[in-house]
Amino acid sequence: MDPMEAIKQTYFQECEELLLAMEEGLIAIQSGEADSEVINAVFRAVHSIKGGGGAFGFENLVAFAHIFETVLDHLRSGTLAADEEVATVLLRAGDVLADHVQAARNGEILAAEHDREIKQQLETLSGKEGGCDAAGDFDGIDFKPAVIALDDLDPAAQQGWRIHFAPHAALYAKANEPALLVRELATLGETAVTSDLSRLPALDVIEPDQAYFAWDIVLKGDIARDKIEEVFEFVVGDCELDIQPLETPAPETPEGLDVETMAPQPEVAAGQPEKKEAHAAAEAAKQTIRVDLDKVDRLVNLVGELVITQAMLSQRVAECKIPRSSPIGDGLNELEHLLRELQESVMAIRTQPVKSVFQRMPRLVRELAAQTNKKVRLVVEGEGTEVDKTVIERLGEPLTHMIRNAVDHGLETPDERAAAGKPEEGTVTLSAEHRGGRIVIEVSDDGRGINRARVREKAIERELIAASAQLSDEEIDNLIFMPGFSTASQVSNISGRGVGMDVVRRNIVDLGGRITIGSAPKSGSRFSLTLPLTLAVLDGMVVAVGDQTFVLPLAHIIESLKPQPQDIRPFGHGRHLLNVRGAYVPLVQVSELMGIKGAAKPLDGVVILVESQGTGRLALVVDAILGQHQVVIKSFEGNYRHIDGIAAATILGDGRVALILDVDGLVGRCRSQLADAELQPTGT
Amino acid sequence: MSTETIENASIRRQFITFHSGDQEFGADIMAIREIRGWTKTTSLPHAPDFVRGVINLRGVVLPVVDLKARLGRGCTDPDPKHVVVVVKAGERTIGLLVDAVSDILTVTAGDIQPTPDLARDAQAEFVEGIAVLDNRMVTILSMDRLAASLVGEGLAQAA
Amino acid sequence: MGKVILTVDDSKTMRDMLKLALAGAGHSVIQADDGVNGVEALQNAGAVDVIITDINMPRMDGFGFIDQVRRDPKNRAIPILVLTTETEPAKKQRARDAGATGWIVKPFEPAKLLAAVNRVAP
């Protein structure tokens, strides 16, 4: 790739990070929690976006960032107070800056009307306190560029220049070097340099860090004055500099010395460090590197296969009757230990804080609030919670929809809220935390709660339920997940984008997660997503059923038990319930579910009590428990269709494939079959 | 894709031929990844009889289809002499259980005749054409259609 | 003659651009992403011919960085160029007050950058 193109990509990646940091800071400013470091960070972010943008010629972006930055600079210097009005404008400006970046990334230019209004608002803000225009920035500067004569009209310029240059000590203190300047002058034209030693005191009073030398330089040729001034640009103010056209008679000069041999180096005493071979590679420690995800995935796959190979090897060794305590056994133990560590480390590469998804939500909420004329505050918690990147990537859509739903359906208008005795501003809370080896993400609002009567009416209208159906509150709430359900009386342009909560639930279930809803009339609703931390491995219990081996996800297992005859009760047509300490749970043989012949009867087997969040418990009968392992999840759906009751496959230590049971699916199916048998669910 | 290649008579194609039951079949060599001896599979629940289950092919979970059963000619009773032809069709990889692999056949597209209309049985769906050479008749199968039939609705109906 | 140049900037874009221009002219580039790391990189690098630093950086900004560098007598002679934008003359002055040798206006052209480097380092 063209190096500049590569840097441009870096720039856009960096912009993403900077925009997120900026937004985070702006939200802190809005909530009044910002200290000067936060404001500085926001300023830096906008400044860096502008700086890089300039390098690639994104003029509109730079122009906008500049106006934005100016306001932030006032905020930083305290000439502008961060009140609510200002914070709102800044947040809007942040969104528009993000739009500019996106446009630049797409090779487009943002339409002028897109940022006109916000530009005006920003300009109003920076004009607010007055006297802070560009000229104000020049105050207190003591190095003004020398006044330049109109060179082109000056015939003397055709001849050349006579330059008197007398450095002050400050020039050396800033590590400027007169000899280099003289050398650079020589690149402009023919030079004749004479040293002015008139300031040199007696040797015994010479101070090493004082400047005693001065030079008179005659520069011949047709050279523009500003070229010469450019050479001295860095030292203006730290020296006497007099540039005169050549015909002016040269002042009397004392004995001349060649500057090249007599260049004063007062700093030598300070000891310039010896130049050594420097290592270009000795870059400062970086906090992150960017790696192509494909490379990580390849690594994850390889490690997965390595784990399987190791398990197979262990099994072969065991088959050869080599004891675990032998040197070979020790080596295998060590290998197993290292592999597990390797596997964990590799999986950790893929984890990311949910922040990257959560960060997109504040803007969404602002836009929704504006569209619905509601006042909304978004509270974000636990955004540092880490989860596998594949999970993160697929979280955005369901979360977006849930937030839309919360603002659009959940929250009331400010008037309604006021009438209900609530603060006008509604709160939507988005949180994430690790719980039991999974990540739980919640979206809650303090709105009106689910209107159950309306939901029920709608469900009947849509023939989703019978008019006579007796449903619990929870069951009514769950109706909103049914395909084709929408509570909005008219399709609004926010929630009515063709996706319903049924799609949200499907997305979540596809990720191996679950979604539940809790709602209280007048005080709000809460959606909880429970998701696996990674889609690549799971802790499973390996069980035998007939001649087959299955894996049950450990996260769903409550306990395993040996059933007693008196605990098993026949129920309905050929079905059974198991009494687990007073609660009756449907009892199902895995062999029956999976169509396996020759498996043990319930009393001869082991019962594993599993639970599916939301749908309840199930007692599964298997022949025996073979062990617990972390297994690598292998999907076969690319090569085969989905199988009811099977979540995925894995490869066991003997190299054979075992199927991973889909507990949620099984529980749901078995319980609905029982419900068909007109049985009230138990054990929930 | 197949119709087009058949029509272009001058193109030479290579097929791996194999026996299943009393018939000889051919599959485009480009689709064949490897040939393995039969190993015990892990059964899939609720699978039609022609899906023998899945095997582990170096970390990939591979469904194995009993070709004979797929073509409606009864199930194979596999022993270690049987082979699994690993086929990659599009993004999908499947295994085909056959009796034995015979050879590699090079034919021009013109040697391939379209499927006779009378072959309206279970196998017609997967037949791309018939290659007739020196009294041999090789039924050319479409690996794409075989693999695709394992995914999605087609299978449920077939089951 | 290639010089050893330490670049200090929190923006990877800017670091990469500096590196592209400087390395292309045969200089060795050492990078740091803020003032604190810049000081550390300078200590580790042994000898540095020129330092190019940004002003707005987290943890330790450019002013603090220059000040820190100049405090060490052995670093007093290292030319320091400040990356700045034209709209900030006050900052140029502050950087000079802190001991910067010169400045580079962003966005820079590689030729101007190299000229500035040559102007301050032999």
Side-chain angles (χ1 to χ4, degrees):
Chain A
M1 203 196 289
D2 167 23
M4 275 310 278
E5 193 52 39
I7 294 175
K8 198 190 270 188
Q9 293 314 313
T10 302
Y11 169 69
F12 286 125
Q13 284 171 348
E14 195 164 29
C15 276
E16 277 178 26
E17 290 162 16
L18 291 168
L19 287 169
L20 291 179
M22 172 197 76
E23 184 170 43
E24 199 174 283
L26 288 176
I27 288 168
I29 290 171
Q30 187 186 36
S31 61
E33 291 159 11
D35 56 17
S36 64
E37 186 37 49
V38 169
I39 296 172
N40 263 323
V42 173
F43 177 86
R44 275 200 306 273
V46 175
H47 185 74
S48 290
I49 290 170
K50 181 180 99 169
F56 299 108
F58 302 142
E59 286 169 23
N60 291 34
L61 184 157
V62 171
F64 182 77
H66 179 67
I67 296 169
F68 191 6
E69 183 193 84
T70 308
V71 174
L72 291 168
D73 203 19
H74 292 325
L75 203 62
R76 200 162 67 141
S77 62
T79 52
L80 181 67
D83 59 23
E84 202 181 323
E85 185 200 345
V86 169
T88 307
V89 173
L90 292 178
L91 275 164
R92 176 80 195 116
D95 293 343
V96 172
L97 182 60
D99 294 339
H100 269 291
V101 170
Q102 191 55 45
R105 192 169 200 163
N106 297 340
E108 297 158 1
I109 290 171
L110 207 60
E113 59 265 28
H114 194 89
D115 68 1
R116 187 177 296 129
E117 189 186 338
I118 186 71
K119 260 184 177 166
Q120 282 166 358
Q121 288 172 346
L122 287 171
E123 275 159 356
T124 311
L125 284 182
S126 50
K128 238 179 193 174
E129 66 298 322
C132 258
D133 54 356
D137 286 349
F138 284 90
D139 289 347
I141 295 168
D142 63 355
F143 69 107
K144 295 214 169 60
V147 178
I148 299 168
L150 296 170
D151 305 325
D152 294 342
L153 302 177
D154 187 349
Q158 306 299 315
Q159 305 295 313
W161 303 88
R162 181 180 303 281
I163 302 157
H164 179 70
F165 172 42
H168 299 160
L171 183 148
Y172 297 106
K174 288 166 194 163
N176 267 302
E177 173 53 67
L180 292 173
L181 302 179
V182 172
R183 187 179 73 181
E184 195 176 345
L185 275 181
T187 65
L188 298 176
E190 189 191 323
T191 51
V193 184
T194 48
S195 292
D196 173 359
L197 303 179
S198 58
R199 295 192 299 173
L200 193 65
L203 282 174
D204 55 348
V205 293
I206 286 180
E207 296 280 339
D209 53 1
Q210 284 302 307
Y212 302 110
F213 292 79
W215 291 271
D216 284 297
I217 304 142
V218 173
L219 178 61
K220 287 185 180 159
D222 180 9
I223 299 153
R225 189 183 179 115
D226 56 1
K227 289 278 176 208
I228 301 167
E229 283 169 344
E230 199 181 313
V231 171
F232 290 99
E233 188 188 7
F234 295 163
V235 296
V236 171
D238 289 334
C239 63
E240 283 168 33
L241 185 64
D242 183 36
I243 304 174
Q244 295 294 333
L246 247 191
E247 85 235 357
T248 316
E252 276 299 301
T253 48
E255 288 294 298
L257 284 171
D258 188 349
V259 68
E260 295 301 331
T261 55
M262 278 301 288
Q265 297 193 318
E267 294 301 321
V268 165
Q272 183 148 9
E274 195 78 6
K275 285 203 172 67
K276 289 179 199 139
E277 190 79 18
H279 302 283
E283 298 184 1
K286 280 183 192 152
Q287 288 168 335
T288 55
I289 56 163
R290 288 178 195 283
V291 182
D292 193 337
L293 195 59
D294 287 347
K295 289 184 187 169
V296 178
D297 287 345
R298 173 107 187 94
L299 193 59
V300 170
N301 281 337
L302 279 174
V303 171
E305 285 179 36
L306 201 54
V307 169
I308 292 163
T309 311
Q310 175 268 323
M312 286 167 71
L313 187 63
S314 295
Q315 191 148 335
R316 296 286 135 77
V317 167
E319 283 163 11
C320 294
K321 309 269 184 262
I322 296 171
R324 254 336 225 193
S325 58
S326 65
I328 289 178
D330 288 347
L332 277 178
N333 285 341
E334 181 72 358
L335 181 66
E336 194 178 335
H337 175 71
L338 287 173
L339 271 181
R340 184 159 271 252
E341 251 180 64
L342 178 63
Q343 194 175 21
E344 279 166 12
S345 313
V346 167
M347 298 314 294
I349 296 177
R350 293 187 50 101
T351 66
Q352 280 187 336
V354 289
K355 194 171 177 175
S356 55
V357 187
F358 279 21
Q359 290 271 22
R360 304 212 293 263
M361 300 305 153
R363 175 172 188 176
L364 176 70
V365 168
R366 285 197 294 281
E367 287 176 353
L368 290 172
Q371 285 171 35
T372 56
N373 289 320
K374 291 177 182 176
K375 288 191 172 176
V376 191
R377 193 165 75 97
L378 179 70
V379 176
V380 178
E381 289 164 1
E383 56 187 357
T385 312
E386 292 207 333
V387 65
D388 192 87
K389 189 175 162 59
T390 46
V391 176
I392 290 196
E393 281 163 359
R394 293 169 65 180
L395 265 180
E397 208 175 300
L399 275 187
T400 303
H401 195 79
M402 285 159 69
I403 299 249
R404 274 181 201 288
N405 194 71
V407 175
D408 197 24
H409 298 314
L411 294 182
E412 312 90 331
T413 62
D415 292 347
E416 287 166 348
R417 290 183 66 88
K422 292 180 178 181
E424 283 190 4
E425 187 182 57
T427 303
V428 173
T429 306
L430 175 61
S431 70
E433 62 171 326
H434 282 148
R435 207 187 284 161
R438 292 170 79 89
I439 183 169
V440 179
I441 295 174
E442 292 192 336
V443 176
S444 58
D445 63 70
D446 64 349
R448 53 171 79 97
I450 289 179
N451 183 343
R452 297 197 173 112
R454 181 85 192 97
V455 166
R456 192 191 152 83
E457 195 182 303
K458 199 91 195 166
I460 293 169
E461 209 173 280
R462 304 251 155 134
E463 297 178 348
L464 298 171
I465 56 168
S468 61
Q470 296 292 314
L471 298 177
S472 67
D473 286 352
E474 192 189 336
E475 283 165 326
I476 293 175
D477 291 349
N478 276 294
L479 286 174
I480 68 163
F481 292 121
M482 293 191 74
F485 187 91
S486 170
T487 50
S489 324
Q490 56 192 38
V491 175
S492 72
N493 63 346
I494 292 166
S495 296
R497 292 201 177 175
V499 242
M501 291 304 286
D502 59 318
V503 177
V504 172
R505 176 153 82 168
R506 241 222 333 273
N507 287 346
I508 299 301
V509 170
D510 285 350
L511 279 171
R514 287 162 284 167
I515 183 167
T516 56
I517 180 171
S519 182
K522 296 191 179 111
S523 58
S525 306
R526 175 187 303 270
F527 287 88
S528 297
L529 301 182
T530 313
L531 291 162
L533 294 180
T534 166
L535 303 180
V537 292
L538 69 80
D539 284 307
M541 182 178 276
V542 183
V543 298
V545 181
D547 61 348
Q548 299 278 323
T549 307
F550 291 96
V551 177
L552 275 165
L554 222 47
H556 289 292
I557 297 176
I558 300 166
E559 61 181 316
S560 61
L561 40 101
K562 200 77 189 158
Q564 299 304 312
Q566 66 273 19
D567 294 334
I568 299 175
R569 303 281 167 83
F571 193 91
H573 181 67
R575 302 185 190 281
H576 293 85
L577 296 179
L578 178 71
N579 179 356
V580 183
R581 292 180 294 276
Y584 281 89
V585 181
L587 181 74
V588 183
Q589 288 190 253
V590 172
S591 57
E592 217 171 89
L593 290 170
M594 298 294 145
I596 297 163
K597 296 178 183 75
K601 292 280 165 220
L603 284 176
D604 304 326
V606 180
V607 166
I608 297 171
L609 194 62
V610 294
E611 183 173 48
S612 161
Q613 199 194 348
T615 36
R617 295 182 174 190
L618 196 62
L620 291 172
V621 182
V622 300
D623 292 9
I625 294 171
L626 301 178
Q628 279 183 19
H629 294 290
Q630 188 172 64
V631 298
V632 178
I633 299 171
K634 300 275 181 183
S635 169
F636 52 75
E637 285 184 24
N639 297 328
Y640 194 68
R641 65 185 174 120
H642 169 77
I643 304 171
D644 278 344
I646 302 297
T650 188
I651 294 162
L652 295 177
D654 60 3
R656 288 191 54 194
V657 178
L659 301 177
I660 301 170
L661 295 179
D662 169 17
V663 171
D664 288 320
L666 288 177
V667 174
R669 203 170 59 170
C670 293
R671 294 194 73 101
S672 70
Q673 281 168 2
L674 284 175
D676 290 346
E678 303 209 0
L679 174 79
Q680 284 303 309
T682 53
T684 41
Chain B
M1 139 211 164
S2 37
T3 340
E4 203 177 275
T5 38
I6 289 170
E7 280 165 3
N8 196 337
S10 61
I11 290 177
R12 292 169 75 80
R13 292 177 71 192
Q14 284 193 307
F15 297 92
I16 298 258
T17 65
F18 39 83
H19 287 281
S20 174
D22 53 359
Q23 283 193 55
E24 191 174 12
F25 295 95
D28 194 310
I29 201 163
M30 301 306 287
I32 309 300
R33 286 293 166 272
E34 62 183 280
I35 293 156
R36 299 165 60 86
W38 164 261
T39 48
K40 202 172 175 316
T41 57
T42 298
S43 317
L44 294 173
H46 319 303
D49 59 356
F50 58 81
V51 175
R52 299 300 303 219
V54 285
I55 57 167
N56 163 24
L57 179 74
R58 288 184 300 282
V60 175
V61 176
L62 195 74
V64 177
V65 172
D66 179 345
L67 184 64
K68 197 170 143 201
R70 186 67 185 107
L71 301 179
R73 294 161 174 271
C75 291
T76 308
D77 184 17
D79 61 45
K81 289 198 292 288
H82 284 85
V83 294
V84 173
V85 181
V86 178
V87 173
K88 186 157 171 76
E91 289 303 301
R92 300 181 189 108
T93 309
I94 62 167
L96 274 188
L97 168 63
V98 300
D99 296 347
V101 171
S102 36
D103 62 1
I104 294 172
L105 191 67
T106 306
V107 295
T108 59
D111 295 331
I112 302 173
Q113 303 171 4
T115 322
D117 277 345
L118 54 102
R120 284 278 133 227
D121 58 4
Q123 89 181 41
E125 185 187 350
F126 308 109
V127 176
E128 204 181 297
I130 312 269
V132 182
L133 298 124
D134 309 333
N135 300 328
R136 260 170 88 191
M137 193 188 83
V138 177
T139 307
I140 308 297
L141 296 173
S142 161
M143 293 298 115
D144 283 347
R145 276 179 252 159
L146 258 178
S149 78
L150 284 188
V151 193
E153 300 306 312
L155 185 69
Q157 284 156 14
Chain C
M1 243 293 276
K3 300 177 178 70
V4 179
I5 299 172
L6 169 65
T7 62
V8 189
D9 199 311
D10 57 332
S11 160
K12 181 161 169 16
T13 310
M14 206 48 73
R15 288 199 300 275
D16 283 358
M17 295 193 64
L18 287 168
K19 180 156 185 168
L20 182 67
L22 295 169
H27 300 303
S28 302
V29 180
I30 300 170
Q31 298 180 329
D33 60 4
D34 63 24
V36 175
N37 289 334
V39 170
E40 198 180 302
L42 184 61
Q43 277 161 2
N44 295 337
V48 167
D49 298 314
V50 180
I51 296 171
I52 299 175
T53 180
D54 188 26
I55 289 299
N56 291 297
M57 294 184 290
R59 296 212 290 169
M60 184 193 284
D61 68 8
F63 302 127
F65 172 66
I66 296 168
D67 185 54
Q68 193 79 17
V69 171
R70 290 284 186 247
R71 248 179 231 187
D72 186 341
K74 79 174 176 5
N75 292 334
R76 259 180 222 158
I78 303 179
I80 303 178
L81 294 172
V82 166
L83 284 163
T84 180
T85 59
E86 231 155 352
T87 55
E88 299 169 283
K91 256 191 226 130
K92 280 184 197 168
Q93 182 55 28
R94 258 194 79 185
R96 282 167 53 89
D97 290 347
T101 310
W103 55 85
I104 296 159
V105 176
K106 289 191 284 191
F108 57 82
E109 287 164 36
K112 293 238 176 194
L113 170 73
L114 296 170
V117 168
N118 282 327
R119 190 177 299 158
V120 297

